Amino acid sequence: MAIVFKWPWLGIAIPSLLIASIQLCAHYLFYRDRADQTKLVILAALVWYSYYLAIYTSPGHPPNNYTVDKSQKPQKQWYKYCSKCKHYKPERTHHCKTCRRCILKMDHHCPWTMNCVGHENIPHFMRFLTWVLVAVSYTFSFLVRKLSSYYKNRNLPAYLVGKKELALVIVCTLLCVFILFTIGILFLRTLFNLISNETTIESWERERVHSQFYTEKFWTKVRANYQRIHGKPLPELTSWKTNYRELRRDSQIPPNFSYDDLVFPYDSGSTFQNLCMALGPVHLWLWPWGKPKENGIDFEKVSEDEDQLNLPWPPDGSNYDNDPSDETTVSSWINDLGETLDDFGVDLATEPYEAPKDI
Ligand SMILES: [Zn+2]
Ligand SMILES: [Zn+2]
């Protein structure tokens, strides 16, 4: 479920307060133990600077005069039009209802940075999560050593144990566990998406397609899209798997095509290449100013030979429908985590494909 604050600045104040509290506790405890604080200072600086860049770096917006090349045959993308920005959207772009702008390769709107995560700032976002995990893990390992020394000395007389310090160590350890757990999940989720060259929104879209893959409604739309784009009926599809489903005689579902045969057009097939496309060259992944490779408007796609369907993503044209009672449509569908497209910050009013007739 999406987190929406009554006062959006709380989204930055809460993590800042958490980070600052752990940092202060760690400095104090390091000082008491006369431990070297150099690494702690460097890691804290990296966390704060990467957070600053994640908040203030633009996610990337389409140029005002952006338009689509409709001479491409077959059509390589859906011609999406933003009724609020009054221009076409490049592929993978969505309009954010909070930022009130179109965002290139939109991943999601992040309440914790008061900014969208998109094409140009996702490397900053990932670096921020990385440095938080590294810095908190470093502090956590120090705290675990402290706790184990308390345990070893448990038989000492009570007046020799600093109770305030022990309480501080326990509170700080719990805070570290909370941050490692929540940020760890967010980091892994985003990383797994980047490994397939997907945004969080596209990963949700893939789950939607997966859930509707063996339905008549999905394939009716896919067949209609194919006919419109290629000017001929969808040819027979082949699979390395056998479909044991019982299909009606007039079924729209192809008998020999499984979800595993469906190609996500932006996935190069190589984990390393996919990561480089989102985060830039490998030597810049941890560099504070590292940028992604592509321009956020045009993206490399798999070749037509590899993609049997040969349709823009998603193949059912996003299944957009204004009927909110239909739970299979993009405006109402909910994934296993209870997330709708609206939860990622997308302005659903700008999602219908195709420009108005007079554009
Ligand atoms: Zn827009
Ligand atoms: Zn936004």
Side-chain angles (χ1 to χ4, degrees), residues 82 84-87 89 94-96 100-102 350:
C82 181
K84 296 198 174 163
C85 299
K86 304 276 184 245
H87 59 61
K89 292 178 192 171
H94 296 274
H95 186 95
C96 172
R100 297 182 183 174
R101 289 191 76 173
C102 273
T350 67

Side-chain angles (χ1 to χ4, degrees), residues 96-101 103 106 108-110 115-117 345:
C96 172
K97 64 183 176 194
T98 310
C99 302
R100 297 182 183 174
R101 289 191 76 173
I103 309 295
M106 181 174 170
H108 67 284
H109 181 86
C110 180
N115 194 6
C116 255
V117 179

